[in-house]
Amino acid sequence: GLIVGICSFVGGAIAMRRDYRFLGQGLTGAAMGVLYMSCYAANQWYNLVPYSVAFVGMAMTTGIGLAFAARFNSQPTAFLGLLGGFLTPAMLQ
């Protein structure tokens, strides 16, 4: 899940640079969803990582999503980043 999420972020950045805004935003939204879900599942379902590692992973996903949104002036990506950031503590309880 982490590899797919990172590759989707890279693909979204490439698409945004080539002026394919909808494709770039879609790939970035999918990347954020995959990364959030991977961190959640690793902690809550499979107990592979402790709470602190999952929290840091989700916080990094939020930070990267917001940086992407600021760099490419993408409001939908900013909304997803903020939503994920606010839901991170609630999802990991």
Side-chain angles (χ1 to χ4, degrees):
L2 296 177
I3 292 170
V4 170
I6 291 169
C7 289
S8 293
F9 257 122
V10 171
I14 291 170
M16 291 296 276
R17 285 188 182 173
R18 294 187 179 169
D19 208 24
Y20 296 114
R21 292 194 60 82
F22 293 120
L23 176 63
Q25 290 173 357
L27 283 172
T28 304
M32 292 174 70
V34 167
L35 290 172
Y36 281 128
M37 193 63 195
S38 294
C39 291
Y40 173 79
N43 176 258
Q44 296 292 320
W45 292 347
Y46 302 115
N47 294 321
L48 295 174
V49 296
Y51 171 84
S52 59
V53 174
F55 185 83
V56 168
M58 291 176 116
M60 286 177 56
T61 301
T62 300
I64 293 169
L66 292 177
F68 181 92
R71 167 68 176 92
F72 293 109
N73 195 22
S74 173
Q75 288 182 349
T77 306
F79 175 75
L80 286 175
L82 287 174
L83 182 67
F86 283 119
L87 289 178
T88 293
M91 287 190 292
L92 291 177
Q93 279 187 344

